[in-house]
Amino acid sequence: MEDNRAEQILKSFNPNFIIKDWCNTMVISAEEIELFKFYNKEVSLGNQKVALKDVIGTTHSSYNRKGPFSEPCTWIEFIGRLKRFKEGYYTADEFIKYFNSEKFYKNHNSEPIFYSKYGDKYIIDGGGNHRTVQAKFCDIEYIIAKVEEWILDKEMLEIYEKLQVERLFPKIGGEIKGKDVYRYERQDNWELKIGGNHFMFFNYEAIKNFIELYDKTYINLIDIWYMSTFLRNSQTNNVKIENVTIQEDGTFSEEKQLKRAIKIHKFLNRRNLSEIKTANSAMS
């Protein structure tokens, strides 16, 4: 039903427009960008010439599927939700004439179009929903917008993925208390499950130091004997939380305890003894 209404509005706006594949793709929110939570640093690029084919969504909750009162919509359905389309502010010919005039760019200075950039894609972020959609459905290829680029924190992502692979179940920031997290920030706390206990790391540097300690902590033959005898048939899944602090020299004040937890974790998370990397094999 919404499709038919939107197509009628589009036909009234631009009777010569030919519907393309992108018209039926979903308008997404910023949070739906892949790896969104790891984009945690913002850089202002000022006015940029942006290809409209790369504009894939909006932060406006009335138009994307993240809004509390909105349903998901495609770009063609987007038309039916925009006041200027519904009330016939412009025809396509009138908009193109306006778009190519000095007035459009003067208005841009007082009421800018704002985009957020993630990788090579853009999200409408503030002013510009109507102008962007009108331009798209006039087959205009490029538009000038003020762009804020979000930078993917590749190092944090790499560490997070390593912790996942090692089954250390990382939680960051509000996730520790069961809350939803918008972005992962470097100043956030981290929680890891190591050897059955939960350890809290109070900043990103502590996590990087932990990775270094984790990689150089191996299981020797005495460890294997001890854990085979006492741990294989026991449950170590308690909920005790240990707070981890870094000393001035960069080491952990709880390093002995951490090493023991790492050895238990590595032992319990290997399928059999042949998968355990011992100190002897690591040095050979």
Side-chain angles (χ1 to χ4, degrees):
M1 192 76 173
E2 189 174 3
D3 267 347
N4 294 335
R5 182 167 167 272
E7 286 184 26
Q8 288 171 4
I9 293 170
L10 173 58
K11 198 167 282 188
S12 174
F13 172 73
N14 187 357
N16 298 318
F17 184 82
I18 298 171
I19 293 175
K20 305 167 184 66
D21 289 345
W22 65 262
C23 301
N24 292 305
T25 60
M26 302 305 296
V27 178
I28 70 167
S29 65
E31 295 96 312
E32 293 173 276
I33 294 281
E34 186 179 9
L35 303 174
F36 169 79
K37 291 182 178 181
F38 291 94
Y39 284 91
N40 58 18
K41 184 180 178 183
E42 192 176 15
V43 178
S44 178
L45 301 182
N47 283 336
Q48 297 286 308
K49 184 179 180 181
V50 176
L52 281 164
K53 67 180 177 58
D54 294 327
V55 180
I56 60 173
T58 178
T59 59
H60 199 303
S61 60
S62 294
Y63 309 133
N64 65 41
R65 50 182 150 191
K66 284 291 181 181
F69 305 110
S70 68
E71 294 293 325
C73 74
T74 63
W75 282 95
I76 199 164
E77 290 168 343
F78 200 164
I79 294 171
R81 300 186 184 188
L82 290 170
K83 184 178 179 182
R84 290 179 199 168
F85 272 101
K86 288 187 284 188
E87 296 184 1
Y89 274 43
Y90 294 106
T91 64
D93 288 343
E94 290 168 336
F95 180 79
I96 291 169
K97 185 177 178 182
Y98 167 60
F99 179 83
N100 290 323
S101 71
E102 285 186 20
K103 186 178 178 183
F104 182 88
Y105 292 97
K106 284 181 181 176
N107 287 349
H108 173 67
N109 291 329
S110 58
E111 295 180 34
I113 296 171
F114 287 103
Y115 292 158
S116 287
K117 183 181 182 186
Y118 297 87
D120 59 356
K121 301 301 179 186
Y122 298 82
I123 300 289
I124 307 164
D125 194 354
N129 283 286
H130 286 83
R131 283 167 285 174
T132 298
V133 176
Q134 286 167 321
K136 271 180 167 284
F137 284 99
C138 286
D139 284 324
I140 292 170
E141 292 186 22
Y142 295 93
I143 201 165
I144 300 297
K146 287 189 181 297
V147 176
E148 297 287 322
E149 182 172 16
W150 285 92
I151 309 299
L152 179 66
D153 194 333
K154 293 180 181 179
E155 183 185 72
M156 180 187 277
L157 174 61
E158 186 178 332
I159 286 175
Y160 183 88
E161 289 178 337
K162 176 181 175 64
L163 295 170
Q164 290 276 35
V165 168
E166 293 295 325
R167 290 176 277 190
L168 290 159
F169 306 111
K171 292 181 181 179
I172 305 175
E175 290 177 344
I176 296 167
K177 295 184 178 180
K179 297 178 181 178
D180 190 27
V181 174
Y182 190 65
R183 293 186 196 274
Y184 294 142
E185 306 285 353
R186 287 207 172 194
Q187 64 267 28
D188 287 339
N189 297 341
W190 291 59
E191 183 186 288
L192 304 178
K193 188 176 181 182
I194 315 167
N197 282 338
H198 295 264
F199 286 79
M200 183 84 75
F201 299 80
F202 289 109
N203 56 48
Y204 182 67
E205 289 304 311
I207 281 292
K208 290 205 295 184
N209 285 10
F210 168 77
I211 291 288
E212 187 177 338
L213 179 66
Y214 185 87
D215 286 342
K216 68 182 183 184
T217 301
Y218 302 111
I219 302 173
N220 59 37
L221 295 176
I222 295 173
D223 295 325
I224 293 173
W225 173 83
Y226 173 81
M227 288 182 281
S228 299
T229 304
F230 296 102
L231 296 179
R232 178 170 282 186
N233 298 317
S234 68
Q235 294 294 322
T236 61
N237 296 321
N238 55 60
V239 293
K240 186 178 179 183
I241 295 182
E242 306 286 348
N243 294 325
V244 180
T245 53
I246 301 181
Q247 301 180 113
E248 287 186 13
D249 63 358
T251 61
F252 294 109
S253 56
E254 304 82 3
E255 188 162 307
K256 186 175 179 181
Q257 182 185 0
L258 262 177
K259 280 186 174 180
R260 180 177 180 275
I262 290 168
K263 287 182 177 184
I264 292 171
H265 177 84
K266 287 187 172 183
F267 180 82
L268 292 176
N269 283 279
R270 298 299 186 271
R271 291 175 188 159
N272 55 58
L273 293 180
S274 65
E275 292 180 348
I276 294 175
K277 189 174 185 180
T278 66
N280 291 335
S281 64
M283 289 185 285
S284 61

